[in-house]
Amino acid sequence: MSELMNNLLFGIAYLILAPVVGGLLAGCDRIITARMQRRVGPPLLQPFYDVLKLTEKQEIAVNLIQDFYVGGFLLFVMISGIFFFTRGDILLVVFTLTLASVCLIVAAYSSNSPYSQIGAERELIQTMSYEPMLLMVAIGFYLATGTFSLSEIMHGHAAGIIFLPGVFLGLVYILGIKFRKSPFDLAMSHHAHQELIKGTVTEFSGKTLAMVEVAHWYENIFLLGFVYLFFVWSAGWSILLGLLACAVVFFFEILVDNCCSRIKWQALLKSTWLVSLVAGFINLLILMYMR
Amino acid sequence: MFLLSLLCGVPLVAALILLAVKDNGTRKVIVKLAAALTMILALVSAWTFYREPVFTFKLAGAVSEFVLAGDVVLCLIIMYLSCRSGRFWIALLALVQTGLMLWMETTTGSTLQVTNDILIDHLAVIMMVIVGVIGSLITIYALGYMEDFQRLEPDIEDRRPYFFFVMFLFLAAMFGLVLSNNLLNMYLCWEITSVTSFLLIGYTRTGEATHNAYRALWMNLLGGLCFAIAIVYLRLRFDTVELDQLLRLGLASFNVTLPVALLVFAGLTKAAQMPFSSWLLGAMVAPTPTSALLHSSTMVKAGVFLIIKLSPLLGDNEAGLLAMFVGGVTFLFASFAAISQSNGKKVLAYSTISNLGLIVCCAGIGTFEAVWTATMLVIFHAVAKSLMFLTVGTAEHHVGSRDIESFDGLFNEMRTLAVCMAIGICGMFLAPFGMLISKWAAMKAVIDAGHPFLMLVLVFGSSATFFFWTKWLGKITAIVPGRKNLEADVHADEWLAMKTLAVLTIVVCILFPWISSAVVVPYLQNVYHEVVEVIGQENLIIMSSMVVLLVILPLLSFGRGHKKLVQTNLSGENLGDDLHYRGAMDVDVPVTLRNMYLENWFGEARMSLAGGALCLACIILEFAQLLGGVAHV
């Protein structure tokens, strides 16, 4: 019973704290990025100011139904995070995340605008690229620990990274896509200008855009949770190791973001599938024959 | 037993009456009556036989002579048809298999003792409901559809009496097939479905239709030939022609792998697995109700039904590997090929082939969880796929094309239809069908059985599935201003079928934990004598509540709000209606949006070549191993 209460508390904490931490992370991201470019950068709380400002904008839209889809995106991202932090099932998390990305893609399609539709197409290609690897992460944990249940994975005898180094590499690769970082920010980008204006979110404004932003914060938090999973086991101090790993991976993604230019979708699809095959599949193959 | 003869008899009698009725009004009444009766009978018999785990029955001895006569008549029909068009090798195929059956009957004489001609387990109950409910709905839909079809295609001779005759005959044969335990009876029904599908595909009598119909015929007859050889082998070697006896022999570790592999091969041809998938793609030329019938509730389901029945004998033997790898490879390459298609019916055809591949693959693995997955897939696929075909058929008649690119603005032109289509698409690839069952359960089954390459196939194939369904979903949900409503003159019969199926899709998606525990698990328990929890019950319920959420949310908040409407971004050159912009030289350019098809990557020709070659190699390899093994012994 206490286990259940514990999990519930974690879930509620996630709902309240994730946007705060996610926003702070976004602020850190912008400061670090600025320093890498020899700028001072905005204040740490700038992402919150941005979102607050968005909510005060005049309410305009190209049609009345896109809010519904964007709302669905936010909702399902939150639900999948809840599954993650209540230590539900890892596959359930992955599937709910897919459901969320379907909502965002359909929202972009619904506006029938060229920029957002190309954004939606690219978002689709991105999803098709990273999904095999994401599923392989879940399969990897299943092979290593014999269960898809997160609570059991976190209380294993040893850190997942020992069995799943290849899978971890693959995950770090696709995290670039999920964080919407260069060179993989084809569908929409946080950088000032790109050829698609704002791609997927071109036709969203005001509160609708704010919802996308907040959903992105939620998403980032539990994506880092996946990284965390690789480094924790039953030992208490491994929590610190996990958090450290998250910080390192996050910094690495920012570094890559600032070193690379955007690639074409062909290169994205080809490289991601190749990494999934080489790093992910070979790792799983070895685990499967070891069983 | 009376109920069963009614179940097969009503469609049969209806078929004969419809052949004679030339008047459209009378036909409508009869079709609706017959469809309603069939549906009710299917449900009543399902309920009756659901209460016992296995019901068996022995038919009167005269039936077997009747069946043999049926084989001969069917053979003569095929020979006549194929000789008339100069395709003698097809006649030869028919002649050889019927000759084999006759030879067997005459040489072994009447020594054969059959204990159970009919066997109804929960799998047969499931199939009965699928055929009865979905098949009947499709015949009702066909009433409205064929009226428009004949009006829009004046060059094609109006042979509707014949069309409905064949459709109901098809249903009767399907009922016969799923009830049979005696392989001789099943073989007759098997051949009848081959011939009726041939007749339905060739309905329009155009060159292409005829060509495709003959292709479907020879491929299915090839399967039929293997079916016949399997029967003869079983009869000569083990002195039985009963499916449950075959299972018992196999489980008692007699070597029955060869006949099982032959039956699996027959199932593969019928389920349109590569390299035999071309017949199902060719079947598109037929009027849409035909495709809906072939793809969802009949024909292809007959193939997977047989393989699922055999699944306790499959696994790590030649027959099992045959099913597993041919199914797996087909799943992967058919999903890839679907990405490159813009013809709606072709996308559906490839998606059917890939889904059947997954079912065959799971049945081939043959463990409890794999067969659970396969059976659940059969149910979901039947409902959602029939809905998809019907909506595409109606859209084609009212939009004027079956190309997905022409469904631009379908949401504004035909809102109810677009909603039905969206339900179908979501049913096909979102929770729970696309996620919980075709990914989660299938992956778990594959990993637990220890097949890394099948896991790879699943992981990549399912991401392709996501791609082509979402892109279609996006197309039909786009809001395009300035379209007029085209929905007004859709026939009431078509609406009845489509709306019922849409509701059914939702109901099945919500109630699937119950379907699993009420029907599928009891069937498997009876076969495997154990129960394995494939996916935890609480996860099933979570998924099912997410579906409820997906249904309730649109009802609550769809399209509400009072925001000021503005124009879309056309780089400042929007001419004011979101549909045109000012281009170079001050020319008005209309906005046209097209999806990506990645033709260079997933082109159809490449994918079917690669998939077909791999599957053929697999078939040859497994049979070579089997026959080599037999020769050595």
Side-chain angles (χ1 to χ4, degrees):
Chain A
M1 202 58 206
S2 67
E3 169 91 21
L4 184 71
M5 278 306 288
N6 221 354
N7 283 345
L8 269 180
L9 278 179
F10 265 114
I12 294 165
Y14 165 77
L15 275 187
I16 298 165
L17 291 180
V20 178
V21 181
L24 288 174
L25 269 180
C28 291
D29 178 356
R30 288 173 69 169
I31 294 173
I32 296 172
T33 299
R35 296 295 152 86
M36 284 178 182
Q37 299 166 354
R38 296 193 176 180
R39 291 186 286 118
V40 177
L44 182 64
L45 297 181
Q46 188 62 39
F48 296 102
Y49 303 148
D50 291 348
V51 164
L52 285 177
K53 189 176 177 190
L54 279 175
T55 58
E56 287 164 5
K57 294 261 183 190
Q58 186 196 6
E59 298 207 48
I60 55 170
V62 292
N63 63 52
L64 289 177
I65 63 168
Q66 65 183 21
D67 282 7
F68 168 73
Y69 297 124
V70 174
F73 172 56
L74 177 60
L75 181 72
F76 283 115
V77 166
M78 283 161 72
I79 292 179
S80 73
I82 291 176
F83 288 149
F84 190 92
F85 283 90
T86 53
R87 301 184 184 172
D89 229 289
I90 190 165
L91 276 176
L92 213 52
V93 177
V94 173
F95 293 151
T96 318
L97 194 62
T98 315
L99 212 55
S101 74
V102 171
C103 285
L104 181 64
I105 292 166
V106 171
Y109 266 108
S110 81
S111 61
N112 204 50
S113 135
Y115 294 105
S116 51
Q117 178 163 348
I118 301 173
E121 304 268 352
R122 291 190 180 177
E123 182 81 31
L124 266 177
I125 290 185
Q126 288 185 355
T127 313
M128 182 164 73
S129 308
Y130 72 67
E131 224 202 30
M133 192 60 235
L134 205 56
L135 288 173
M136 280 191 211
V137 171
I139 295 172
F141 279 112
Y142 181 68
L143 285 173
T145 62
T147 171
F148 285 119
S149 151
L150 283 166
S151 60
E152 288 174 51
I153 291 173
M154 284 189 203
H155 292 107
H157 300 298
I161 186 79
I162 296 168
F163 302 101
L164 304 163
V167 172
F168 180 71
L169 277 183
L171 176 71
V172 170
Y173 196 86
I174 62 159
L175 274 185
I177 306 176
K178 284 305 289 176
F179 285 148
R180 304 187 180 288
K181 295 286 189 199
S182 266
F184 305 133
D185 51 350
L186 283 75
M188 69 190 223
S189 172
H190 282 289
H191 294 302
H193 188 77
Q194 67 158 334
E195 76 279 19
L196 289 187
I197 307 181
K198 261 302 213 179
T200 323
V201 294
T202 305
E203 303 294 348
F204 306 153
S205 64
K207 285 187 181 128
T208 316
L209 192 56
M211 280 202 278
V212 176
E213 202 59 31
V214 173
H216 194 52
W217 294 348
Y218 271 112
E219 208 180 354
N220 286 355
I221 292 300
F222 82 82
L223 286 172
L224 285 174
F226 273 100
V227 175
Y228 177 80
L229 272 190
F230 279 86
F231 294 92
V232 286
W233 68 98
S234 47
W237 62 272
S238 65
I239 294 173
L240 288 176
L241 185 65
L243 291 175
L244 184 70
C246 293
V248 171
V249 168
F250 192 65
F251 181 79
F252 175 72
E253 297 292 350
I254 296 173
L255 184 67
V256 172
D257 185 35
N258 283 292
C259 304
C260 300
S261 57
R262 192 170 301 130
I263 55 174
K264 290 182 179 172
W265 67 261
Q266 288 92 336
L268 171 80
L269 186 58
K270 209 184 284 178
S271 66
T272 316
W273 279 15
L274 202 66
V275 169
S276 314
L277 275 175
V278 175
F281 180 61
I282 291 180
N283 194 162
L284 295 184
L285 203 62
I286 294 168
L287 278 184
M288 243 169 158
Y289 284 121
M290 268 168 47
R291 272 230 296 188
Chain B
M1 190 52 220
F2 177 64
L3 201 59
L4 291 181
S5 39
L6 264 185
L7 187 62
C8 295
V10 165
L12 206 59
V13 173
L16 292 173
I17 296 175
L18 285 165
L19 189 59
V21 173
K22 300 277 180 267
D23 172 50
N24 196 23
T26 327
R27 176 165 51 232
K28 276 194 166 178
V29 177
I30 295 173
V31 167
K32 279 180 193 166
L33 207 66
L37 255 178
T38 314
M39 204 183 297
I40 292 167
L41 278 171
L43 289 173
V44 169
S45 12
W47 178 243
T48 318
F49 295 110
Y50 169 68
R51 283 178 298 178
E52 359 183 1
V54 177
F55 169 88
T56 52
F57 187 80
K58 181 170 164 32
L59 293 169
V63 176
S64 69
E65 276 135 44
F66 185 71
V67 168
L68 198 63
D71 284 341
V72 174
V73 171
L74 217 52
C75 172
L76 290 177
I77 294 175
I78 297 171
M79 283 174 65
Y80 166 72
L81 287 169
S82 41
C83 288
R84 197 181 59 176
S85 72
R87 291 168 168 90
F88 298 105
W89 79 96
I90 300 181
L92 195 66
L93 269 178
L95 193 64
V96 170
Q97 47 188 295
T98 313
L100 257 177
M101 300 301 265
L102 281 175
W103 171 77
M104 184 187 84
E105 287 294 324
T106 46
T107 48
T108 56
S110 54
T111 55
L112 183 68
Q113 286 299 317
V114 177
T115 3
N116 303 320
D117 284 302
I118 286 176
L119 183 145
I120 305 176
D121 49 14
H122 284 123
L123 184 64
V125 168
I126 294 171
M127 289 301 291
M128 213 144 66
V129 174
I130 290 178
V131 177
V133 174
I134 297 175
S136 311
L137 282 173
I138 294 172
T139 56
I140 293 177
Y141 173 89
L143 282 174
Y145 181 91
M146 290 310 284
E147 212 170 310
D148 283 343
F149 182 80
Q150 298 295 353
R151 185 167 51 77
L152 294 168
E153 315 257 350
D155 300 341
I156 292 168
E157 188 192 341
D158 188 350
R159 293 192 293 156
R160 271 183 278 173
Y162 164 83
F163 184 79
F164 282 96
F165 161 71
V166 181
M167 273 190 119
F168 274 95
L169 188 62
F170 209 141
L171 291 185
M174 268 313 281
F175 281 127
L177 198 148
V178 299
L179 299 177
S180 300
N181 182 48
N182 183 338
L183 287 172
L184 292 170
N185 302 355
M186 193 188 267
Y187 170 75
L188 174 66
C189 296
W190 189 271
E191 295 295 279
I192 293 177
T193 59
S194 295
V195 173
T196 45
S197 66
F198 161 79
L199 296 175
L200 284 174
I201 297 169
Y203 175 76
T204 58
R205 283 187 174 156
T206 57
E208 193 192 3
T210 315
H211 175 79
N212 291 350
Y214 278 108
R215 184 166 55 197
L217 187 63
W218 80 253
M219 285 184 172
N220 280 302
L221 283 181
L222 196 64
L225 179 63
C226 288
F227 203 123
I229 297 173
I231 294 178
V232 173
Y233 182 92
L234 279 175
R235 175 76 203 274
L236 296 182
R237 184 126 188 212
F238 298 103
D239 199 33
T240 179
V241 289
E242 288 165 85
L243 199 55
D244 62 338
Q245 288 293 343
L246 173 63
L247 289 181
R248 214 160 292 147
L249 285 170
L251 292 176
S253 58
F254 283 91
N255 186 7
V256 289
T257 316
L258 183 63
V260 170
L262 285 168
L263 288 175
V264 167
F265 180 83
L268 292 179
T269 55
K270 191 133 285 206
Q273 297 299 288
M274 285 176 178
F276 305 107
S277 55
S278 55
W279 80 257
L280 193 64
L281 293 165
M284 275 189 339
V285 295
T288 298
T290 307
S291 318
L293 204 61
L294 292 181
H295 283 256
S296 63
S297 55
T298 61
M299 199 64 182
V300 295
K301 288 290 150 70
V304 294
F305 170 74
L306 182 64
I307 299 180
I308 293 178
K309 274 263 183 178
L310 293 170
S311 57
L313 303 184
L314 303 178
D316 284 329
N317 53 33
E318 287 84 354
L321 292 173
L322 176 69
M324 253 183 258
F325 282 99
V326 171
V329 171
T330 304
F331 170 68
L332 182 69
F333 285 96
S335 317
F336 280 164
I339 291 179
S340 67
Q341 299 305 310
S342 71
N343 178 335
K345 273 178 108 177
K346 213 158 186 184
V347 174
L348 292 182
Y350 271 118
S351 121
T352 302
I353 295 169
S354 82
N355 273 314
L356 291 170
L358 192 55
I359 298 172
V360 168
C361 175
C362 287
I365 293 170
T367 58
F368 183 97
E369 19 182 31
V371 181
W372 181 86
T373 315
T375 318
M376 292 300 274
L377 282 172
V378 167
I379 301 171
F380 279 95
H381 180 257
V383 185
K385 193 46 76 58
S386 53
L387 173 62
M388 283 309 292
F389 265 105
L390 301 191
T391 53
V392 170
T394 302
E396 182 185 358
H397 275 172
H398 293 83
V399 176
S401 161
R402 59 169 76 153
D403 197 307
I404 295 173
E405 293 300 336
S406 65
F407 293 167
D408 258 332
L410 196 70
F411 198 75
N412 298 66
E413 287 168 346
M414 309 182 82
R415 182 156 298 196
T416 319
L417 187 78
V419 170
C420 287
M421 204 185 263
I423 291 174
I425 293 178
C426 293
M428 287 301 301
F429 88 105
L430 289 181
F433 173 81
M435 298 182 162
L436 212 56
I437 296 163
S438 62
K439 283 192 204 161
W440 187 332
M443 269 180 354
K444 197 160 176 287
V446 165
I447 298 166
D448 288 343
H451 293 287
F453 285 94
L454 289 181
M455 176 208 83
L456 196 65
V457 154
L458 266 178
V459 163
F460 281 90
S462 65
S463 68
T465 311
F466 172 86
F467 186 83
F468 71 80
W469 282 124
T470 313
K471 131 182 127 163
W472 186 341
L473 184 65
K475 201 83 202 172
I476 59 167
T477 45
I479 306 292
V480 182
R483 296 297 179 96
K484 56 178 189 293
N485 189 344
L486 299 175
E487 232 170 25
D489 54 347
V490 177
H491 290 276
D493 306 328
E494 295 182 29
W495 278 134
L496 175 71
M498 288 189 290
K499 284 178 180 166
T500 314
L501 281 172
V503 172
L504 264 181
T505 308
I506 295 175
V507 168
V508 168
C509 283
I510 292 174
L511 290 187
F512 82 102
W514 178 81
I515 295 176
S516 159
S517 61
V519 210
V520 181
V521 171
Y523 165 70
L524 294 170
Q525 193 176 6
N526 197 34
V527 175
Y528 289 91
H529 307 293
E530 57 166 354
V531 175
V532 179
E533 195 177 49
V534 186
I535 298 176
Q537 193 70 21
E538 73 275 8
N539 282 329
L540 292 186
I541 289 165
I542 288 175
M543 259 302 171
S544 143
S545 12
M546 285 218 306
V547 181
V548 175
L549 200 66
L550 274 177
V551 177
I552 290 175
L553 280 181
L555 295 179
L556 285 181
S557 68
F558 194 80
R560 303 279 167 80
H562 40 72
K563 290 190 170 179
K564 184 185 164 204
L565 288 183
V566 292
Q567 290 170 0
T568 55
N569 184 344
L570 296 175
S571 301
E573 298 294 338
N574 195 329
L575 285 176
D577 55 0
D578 290 345
L579 297 172
H580 297 83
Y581 64 92
R582 199 191 341 266
M585 311 278 289
D586 213 16
V587 178
D588 284 7
V589 186
V591 173
T592 48
L593 298 176
R594 291 289 167 262
N595 267 323
M596 291 170 106
Y597 289 94
L598 318 190
E599 181 65 41
N600 290 334
W601 292 58
F602 302 112
E604 188 186 9
R606 260 176 158 184
M607 291 302 125
S608 34
L609 182 68
L614 273 172
C615 288
L616 192 64
C618 193
I619 293 172
I620 293 173
L621 213 67
E622 296 302 339
F623 273 102
Q625 208 166 348
L626 260 175
L627 294 175
V630 171
H632 284 302
V633 171

